[in-house]
């Protein structure tokens, strides 16, 4: 009995029923991480409070643009079918598709009496191209999705092309009435050849890549498939930010130059 009495020292006695019934207070949560301040660039500051339209339904492109401070975007996808022939080169295919998106939305929004004309329209199109030059669309079924990823693994490197088109209306009525700048970015992606069939099937079943050209998302779980890339990472995601920002600068500079020229012409007349 003496051993049992000494089993629990007095200073380590169990809590009373009253103390045990009190709710346990959770530790305080750490303060949330502060978001970075927006980029203080003249070209972005000039667009604050103005209509900037993303002619794409891609949430990834919207997120990428938000990273550089374009957070109040209007998302207005083009409703015109993308029916350009796959016989075009990947460069021409994405460029024509992105240009069609931009010009279609521009024409629809130019005379918007409620919101006014847009200050800027951004459109993009991305395709994945196999080693043999085949343009890969979004997979149409689980079986096609698995076969597509196996092919990308087995054939070596593939390429990702993204065309970016940026438009801004001009003050004058001179044809075509807008400034337009385009660029096509190319990135090489290589899948890890040691990726197993089971891993590909497991990835396909996550459904992450079901809505993406080429069938994978490098910014998400799809990163487990990739060994390395050569070129812009955000180009593979769907929008090369460095290129996009440069095009915005060119378009807005062109619009400012045209406005100044029109003012000088008015003064001379």
């Amino acid at each position: 009995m003496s051993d049992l009495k000494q089993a629990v020292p007095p200073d380590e006695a169990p809590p009373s029923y009253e103390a045990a019934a009190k709710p346990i207070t959770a530790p305080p949560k750490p303060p949330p991480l502060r978001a970075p301040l927006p980029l203080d660039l003249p070209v972005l500051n000039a667009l604050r409070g103005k209509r900037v339209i993303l002619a794409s339904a891609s949430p990834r492109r919207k997120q990428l643009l938000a990273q550089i401070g374009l957070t109040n975007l209007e998302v207005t996808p083009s409703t015109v079918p993308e029916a350009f022939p796959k016989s075009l080169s990947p460069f021409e295919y994405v460029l024509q598709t992105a240009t069609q998106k931009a010009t279609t939305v521009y024409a629809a929004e130019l005379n918007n009496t409620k919101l006014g004309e847009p200050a800027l329209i951004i459109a993009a199109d991305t395709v994945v191209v196999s080693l043999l030059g085949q343009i890969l669309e979004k997979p149409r079924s689980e079986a096609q999705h698995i076969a597509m990823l196996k092919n990308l693994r087995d054939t070596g490197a593939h390429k990702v092309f993204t065309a970016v088109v940026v438009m801004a209306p001009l003050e004058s009525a001179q044809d075509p009435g807008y400034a337009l700048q385009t660029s096509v970015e190319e990135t090489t992606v290589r899948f890890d050849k040691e990726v197993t069939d089971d891993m590909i099937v497991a990835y396909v079943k996550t459904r992450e890549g079901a809505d993406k050209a080429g069938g994978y998302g490098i910014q998400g779980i799809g990163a487990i498939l990739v060994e390395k890339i050569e070129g812009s990472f955000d180009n593979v995601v769907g929008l090369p930010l460095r290129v996009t920002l440069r095009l915005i600068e060119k378009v807005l500079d062109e619009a400012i130059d045209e406005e100044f020229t029109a003012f000088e012409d008015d003064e001379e007349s």
Side-chain angles (χ1 to χ4, degrees), residues 88-195:
L88 292 171
S89 70
F91 183 98
E92 286 297 328
Y93 183 86
V94 289
L95 183 56
Q96 290 191 29
T97 303
T99 302
Q100 176 182 267
K101 290 179 181 180
T103 53
T104 300
V105 173
Y106 173 84
E109 293 295 328
L110 182 61
N111 297 317
N112 189 319
T113 56
K114 183 178 180 181
L115 300 175
E117 69 178 18
L120 195 77
I121 291 178
I122 303 169
D125 189 64
T126 301
V127 295
V128 176
V129 182
S130 71
L131 186 66
L132 300 177
Q134 179 188 5
I135 295 175
L136 303 179
E137 298 287 354
K138 300 171 185 176
R140 294 191 178 93
S141 66
E142 185 174 288
Q144 186 191 45
H145 196 174
I146 293 170
M148 183 182 292
L149 294 179
K150 286 182 178 180
N151 181 63
L152 291 177
R153 176 199 60 190
D154 296 339
T155 56
H158 59 276
K159 294 186 180 295
V160 179
F161 293 86
T162 298
V164 183
V165 178
V166 179
M167 298 179 66
L170 299 178
E171 290 293 331
S172 72
Q174 293 182 352
D175 189 62
Y178 55 79
L180 184 146
Q181 292 287 337
T182 68
S183 182
V184 178
E185 188 85 354
E186 175 184 337
T187 301
T188 301
V189 182
R190 184 181 297 276
F191 274 16
D192 186 346
K193 286 191 174 295
E194 293 186 2
V195 168

Side-chain angles (χ1 to χ4, degrees), residues 200-218:
I200 287 176
V201 171
Y203 176 70
V204 167
K205 289 186 179 298
T206 69
R207 303 285 294 168
E208 179 188 73
D211 64 339
K212 298 171 180 62
Y216 69 96
I218 195 172

Side-chain angles (χ1 to χ4, degrees), residues 16 29 36 38 42 49 67 85 120 136 177 185 194 199 201 214 251 267:
S16 65
K29 294 182 179 180
Q67 290 178 16
L120 195 77
L136 303 179
E185 188 85 354
E194 293 186 2
M199 184 178 291
V201 171
V251 160
E267 287 289 309

